[in-house]
Amino acid sequence: MRHRRFRFPFFLLIPLAVFLFSFIVMSLWNGVLVATVHVGAVTFWQAMGLLVLSRILFGGFHGFRGRHGRHGGMDFEKRKEMIEKFQKMTPEERQEFRKKFRGRCNPWESAAKEETNTAKE
């Protein structure tokens, strides 16, 4: 006799999560906003509509890794190529690359350095 293993129907988790979050939005709206801001109470379906609207306007529900995955949208091959390119650089080239990259990622830092350089001259 073969034993059947119970398999949980994971496709049911998404609608269940939507209903749960809609109920949470409805409860929070009716519990907090009605009393503090004096807006009207919302029904369950209006709360679900608010949830969908917030998803459209602000983006969300991207899972654990976010919209662009683990490495900011860079696929594995591109990342591997960039690492190899960085490893082939001389120490001077690496230092110059780091300076330029810091300037791109933090424009305030590069602007502050330019101001101090012009003040020294």
Side-chain angles (χ1 to χ4, degrees):
M1 181 180 244
R2 254 179 109 185
H3 294 292
R4 282 188 166 183
R5 289 184 63 191
F6 175 73
R7 292 184 183 227
F8 185 78
F10 287 102
F11 63 90
L12 293 176
L13 285 179
I14 292 173
L16 183 67
V18 169
F19 279 97
L20 178 68
F21 286 125
S22 297
F23 181 75
I24 291 171
V25 168
M26 181 187 73
S27 299
L28 286 172
W29 182 283
N30 292 338
V32 176
L33 292 177
V34 172
T36 57
V37 188
H38 305 295
V39 294
V42 296
T43 64
F44 176 79
W45 298 107
Q46 289 171 327
M48 187 180 288
L50 284 170
L51 194 64
V52 170
L53 182 64
S54 67
R55 163 66 173 105
I56 292 169
L57 293 176
F58 304 115
F61 312 123
H62 296 296
F64 296 109
R65 290 198 238 167
R67 178 180 296 209
H68 299 293
R70 186 172 167 198
H71 302 293
M74 189 180 299
D75 63 346
F76 179 75
E77 293 297 324
K78 181 75 172 170
R79 180 173 166 75
K80 186 176 173 184
E81 181 183 317
M82 292 291 289
I83 290 172
E84 289 174 1
K85 191 175 182 180
F86 188 76
Q87 288 175 344
K88 290 178 184 177
M89 289 181 182
T90 65
E92 294 83 17
E93 289 172 332
R94 287 184 189 176
Q95 189 67 22
E96 185 65 28
F97 175 79
R98 286 185 179 123
K99 277 185 188 177
K100 288 180 181 178
F101 194 74
R102 281 189 194 119
R104 275 183 51 187
C105 293
N106 189 355
W108 295 281
E109 184 178 315
S110 61
K113 285 183 181 180
E114 288 176 10
E115 288 177 10
T116 56
N117 288 339
T118 55
K120 288 180 183 177
E121 294 173 1

